[in-house]
Amino acid sequence: MAELTPLGAFFEKLREKGSTFRTIMYVILAVLVGLNFIWNTHEPHFVIDKYTGFWAGFGLVFGLAMVIVMKKIVQPFIARNEEFYDSGD
């Protein structure tokens, strides 16, 4: 078996201790979300911008909208037939 690089060894340790790492990440996420309710990080530029979680929701909605647009509108223009790459002979 090939010897692991330092980065590969790091990821191997994360895989072995996945539940511990996941728990730590969830605790960090919970602390950051909790701080978001009590600590105002910026001045709102828009009326709706003052609500907690607005930018997360905004990103989610427009990310999903981009996926739907790509799937329904753009994909039919760029899709190829299944045999497109096999018929080169």
Side-chain angles (χ1 to χ4, degrees), residues 48-89:
I48 199 165
D49 189 14
K50 67 182 176 181
Y51 297 109
T52 301
F54 166 74
W55 290 111
F58 180 82
L60 177 67
V61 168
F62 279 94
L64 290 173
M66 286 191 299
V67 169
I68 292 169
V69 166
M70 290 298 291
K71 184 72 175 166
K72 301 292 182 184
I73 297 173
V74 177
Q75 185 192 16
F77 289 115
I78 62 174
R80 297 282 186 234
N81 201 358
E82 281 188 26
E83 292 83 25
F84 178 78
Y85 294 106
D86 292 335
S87 63
D89 294 330

Side-chain angles (χ1 to χ4, degrees), residues 2-89:
E3 190 172 323
L4 293 174
T5 63
L7 185 60
F10 172 72
F11 285 123
E12 189 65 32
K13 286 180 187 175
L14 285 180
R15 182 180 295 150
E16 291 169 2
K17 300 181 184 207
S19 62
T20 304
F21 180 71
R22 190 176 312 127
T23 303
I24 292 170
M25 289 297 119
Y26 284 139
V27 168
I28 291 172
L29 179 63
V31 168
L32 290 174
V33 168
L35 285 174
N36 195 22
F37 284 105
I38 61 174
W39 187 5
N40 189 9
T41 57
H42 68 283
E43 292 295 321
H45 297 287
F46 308 104
V47 175
I48 199 165
D49 189 14
K50 67 182 176 181
Y51 297 109
T52 301
F54 166 74
W55 290 111
F58 180 82
L60 177 67
V61 168
F62 279 94
L64 290 173
M66 286 191 299
V67 169
I68 292 169
V69 166
M70 290 298 291
K71 184 72 175 166
K72 301 292 182 184
I73 297 173
V74 177
Q75 185 192 16
F77 289 115
I78 62 174
R80 297 282 186 234
N81 201 358
E82 281 188 26
E83 292 83 25
F84 178 78
Y85 294 106
D86 292 335
S87 63
D89 294 330

